[in-house]
Amino acid sequence: MIILSIETSCDDTGVAVLKKEKGKITTLSNVVSSQDDIHKKWGGVFPTEAKREHQKNLVPSLKKALSKASLLEKGSIKTASSLKEILFRESILLKDIQVFFKKNKIKKIDAIAVTVGPGLEPCLWAGVNFARALSCYLNIPIIPVNHIKAHILFFLLEKKEIDFPAVGLIVSGGHTELLLINSLSSYELIGKTRDDAAGECFDKIARVLGLGYPGGPEISKKAHLWETKTNKIKPFDINLPKPMMHSKNYDFSFSGLKTAALYDFLSREEKVQKNKNYINQMAYETQEAIVDVLVFKLKKAIKEYNAKTAILGGGVTANKKLREKVKKLDKEFPLIPFFLPPVSLSTDNANMIGIASFASKERLSFEDVKADANMKIYNDFKNIKE
Ligand code: KG4
Ligand code: ZN
């Protein structure tokens, strides 16, 4: 079984090819085109611009992914009859895909997996319409994939089965959610952010400090510089809150942290605002506050729900400090396996979409596939405590 997978929910264009044989999943290729340089100037993702970039990147990424997986051969495929209708709003893609199939044939793919939600609506549609066009050309079904579920199911690459219930912590640029996972098809939300997501908080504070986009990796680098400085000479008096850390429920809130960082910055003289030590210490304090809240609530959920497994997913899991603190939990919970994606699979990619599609039985015809920007994976809201 060979799957071609596509991811365009935010600002990374991903195309991957995966194979499942005798129960084992292998990644044949995983191509990610990042748009970081484009979005740097805004300090965040601008959806219409991101969609245009996806349209430009999809066919070149497809070509790379197929050729790396040795699935591309010279030849041509006749234009699919409904192509113009499917790519009505994707003029760049329409042209590129027609040119591509005039010169290329694809050896063997059994299905196309695509992220249908949640995410930025215009971006999702670029990927979904691309998948629909390919499905129509190749006459193969589509497997719709939930992006959040894919951030969780990466573990299937190394382990086929886990013990339930599991607690899942999703930390990305758009989501911060704690989930109780009863089986691979049953998820309950136990807590979520009431405002900004953890990754969004990293990005926004990085912007205040004049660091690049995405902010998470930049903050992490500066925090490391601060931490490893042997002589933390004269630390600044910075007090950032750890919002909702001790609230009775499992919700999060990061907008107060962002505001506190902004006020601290604005209260400083210009020469301090530009001082490397100040910036590095602010990055360190920001990272500590975010990571401590995440780890504290994760531990609390594991205990209260008697979890047998813990799974973390989403771009923020690339954070070194978060990974270190999660790895140390082994001591406190020796019987519980903690799954963290490899750093290369933390941020958005199509590999995880392909992996998640192997856990799905859904097969749709291209006419029935739609993007759903607000798609959820949980059935009900279990957060009853206030
Ligand atoms: O999962 P992801 O690639 O996209 C969404 O689904 O949102 O996550 C992107 C987020 C960004 O906010 C980025 O700043 C954050 O993940 N991120 C990090 C690190 N690498 C990426 N945050 C903290 N530390 C990192 N090393
Ligand atoms: Zn994501």
Side-chain angles (χ1 to χ4, degrees):
M1 169 96 163
I2 294 186
I3 291 217
L4 174 81
S5 57
I6 298 161
E7 155 63 36
T8 61
S9 67
C10 190
D11 60 340
D12 290 305
T13 314
V15 180
V17 181
L18 294 94
K19 182 167 92 174
K20 189 170 182 183
E21 207 170 34
K22 294 183 189 139
K24 188 177 165 15
I25 299 172
T26 316
T27 303
L28 301 180
S29 62
N30 181 31
V31 175
V32 181
S33 301
S34 151
Q35 304 178 6
D36 290 350
D37 288 342
I38 309 280
H39 301 294
K40 246 178 198 145
K41 55 180 184 282
W42 315 105
V45 182
F46 208 70
T48 46
E49 196 141 341
K51 178 185 171 95
R52 205 164 35 242
E53 287 305 304
H54 286 310
Q55 290 177 328
K56 281 196 236 160
N57 291 338
L58 275 166
V59 173
S61 304
L62 171 76
K63 205 169 168 182
K64 246 193 236 171
L66 289 171
S67 110
K68 237 178 149 185
S70 308
L71 285 177
L72 207 53
E73 58 186 5
K74 288 214 168 83
S76 65
I77 302 185
K78 167 159 108 349
T79 301
S81 52
S82 331
L83 192 68
K84 284 196 178 134
E85 223 174 279
I86 296 172
L87 296 178
F88 169 61
R89 288 173 201 280
E90 327 281 346
S91 55
I92 308 174
L93 258 181
L94 176 64
K95 213 173 104 225
D96 281 5
I97 207 167
Q98 280 173 322
V99 171
F100 177 80
F101 279 120
K102 263 190 195 145
K103 295 188 190 149
N104 295 288
K105 266 166 77 175
I106 297 175
K107 277 186 198 156
K108 179 190 159 30
I109 290 174
D110 297 294
I112 297 163
V114 64
T115 306
V116 291
L120 302 171
E121 176 130 16
C123 298
L124 287 168
W125 273 114
V128 165
N129 282 334
F130 185 55
R132 294 172 70 223
L134 290 175
S135 151
C136 190
Y137 258 112
L138 305 171
N139 198 20
I140 51 176
I142 292 180
I143 309 173
V145 175
N146 180 303
H147 181 86
I148 300 295
K149 203 166 175 179
H151 269 309
I152 295 173
L153 295 185
F154 69 88
F155 73 85
L156 291 172
L157 203 53
E158 52 174 295
K159 201 156 175 9
K160 278 191 240 158
E161 277 169 21
I162 54 165
D163 290 327
F164 296 104
V167 163
L169 175 62
I170 297 299
V171 273
S172 70
H175 292 85
T176 301
E177 290 175 354
L178 258 171
L179 299 159
L180 181 66
I181 309 171
N182 298 309
S183 76
L184 292 191
S185 52
S186 163
Y187 301 78
E188 288 169 89
L189 182 72
I190 53 177
K192 67 176 169 64
T193 181
R194 295 187 175 181
D195 37 61
D196 293 349
E200 191 180 357
C201 185
F202 272 114
D203 294 339
K204 286 180 174 168
I205 295 182
R207 197 169 163 193
V208 169
L209 298 176
L211 304 174
Y213 175 83
E218 296 293 321
I219 296 250
S220 174
K221 270 186 242 157
K222 304 288 178 203
H224 185 69
L225 285 178
W226 174 254
E227 202 170 7
T228 48
K229 234 178 164 166
T230 43
N231 55 338
K232 288 182 191 159
I233 25 151
K234 274 215 257 160
F236 291 87
D237 183 20
I238 299 173
N239 282 304
L240 299 183
K242 294 182 178 168
M244 296 191 72
M245 179 133 130
H246 297 290
S247 66
K248 285 204 186 91
N249 51 39
Y250 292 96
D251 280 354
F252 302 89
S253 164
F254 291 106
S255 80
L257 172 59
K258 168 194 70 192
T259 310
L262 175 67
Y263 284 174
D264 187 291
F265 182 82
L266 294 177
S267 72
R268 308 280 173 176
E269 287 174 38
E270 206 181 324
K271 69 171 196 291
V272 176
Q273 290 177 345
K274 293 190 172 144
N275 179 313
K276 276 192 192 137
N277 287 334
Y278 171 71
I279 293 173
N280 294 351
Q281 192 191 337
M282 276 291 273
Y284 171 80
E285 307 287 353
T286 299
Q287 180 173 272
E288 287 298 299
I290 296 175
V291 169
D292 282 354
V293 175
L294 294 175
V295 172
F296 189 88
K297 296 243 162 168
L298 173 66
K299 276 166 53 172
K300 189 168 132 102
I302 290 172
K303 284 182 200 156
E304 180 165 340
Y305 292 97
N306 214 354
K308 306 275 187 299
T309 308
I311 306 171
L312 289 93
V316 178
T317 62
N319 186 272
K320 229 170 135 192
K321 189 36 96 62
L322 176 63
R323 300 179 80 87
E324 270 168 31
K325 292 201 174 175
V326 168
K327 281 175 187 156
K328 281 193 188 142
L329 294 179
D330 273 355
K331 281 203 186 102
E332 197 175 335
F333 303 98
L335 299 177
I336 298 183
F338 283 83
F339 287 99
L340 275 164
V343 173
S344 61
L345 290 189
S346 286
T347 48
D348 292 348
N349 62 83
N351 196 4
M352 67 181 194
I353 305 306
I355 297 169
S357 76
F358 285 119
S360 166
K361 291 202 169 60
E362 238 179 321
R363 299 287 181 273
L364 300 181
S365 152
F366 73 91
E367 291 103 338
D368 301 326
V369 185
K370 281 198 302 235
D372 177 359
N374 299 313
M375 191 178 199
K376 305 217 172 349
I377 57 167
Y378 42 85
N379 309 325
D380 53 11
F381 191 67
K382 210 185 167 107
N383 192 354
I384 21 162
K385 292 187 199 123
E386 267 313 314

